[in-house]
Amino acid sequence: MAIGSTTARVPAKEYGKNYSKGFDAALEQALGQLSKEIGPGEYSVEVRFALDVKVTNPGKVGYIKVFLEAT
């Protein structure tokens, strides 16, 4: 049973093609949000990484996202 969840997103244009730095930034943001929402403690967290992509030729990444669900 989930005790809380949050999603953070950062604009991909701030990171160019260095998506790993964007994922790091979104993860830090999401962890801060989750900490504020459910407080400190020990719990498991499911992490999902995603990109919002506008499908064109070539495709363009709009946002880098991280979803956290604490259980």
Side-chain angles (χ1 to χ4, degrees), residues 3-57:
I3 58 174
S5 66
T6 192
T7 301
R9 67 182 200 160
V10 296
K13 66 183 176 185
E14 293 181 16
Y15 301 95
K17 299 233 183 252
N18 195 346
Y19 300 124
S20 62
K21 286 194 181 206
F23 281 123
D24 288 346
L27 178 59
E28 288 299 318
Q29 180 181 330
L31 287 170
Q33 291 170 192
L34 194 61
S35 175
K36 288 178 186 173
E37 291 175 17
I38 64 174
E42 272 190 44
Y43 39 85
S44 295
V45 177
E46 179 181 333
V47 180
R48 286 184 248 156
F49 296 95
L51 299 172
D52 283 346
V53 179
K54 182 177 182 182
V55 180
T56 58
N57 192 6

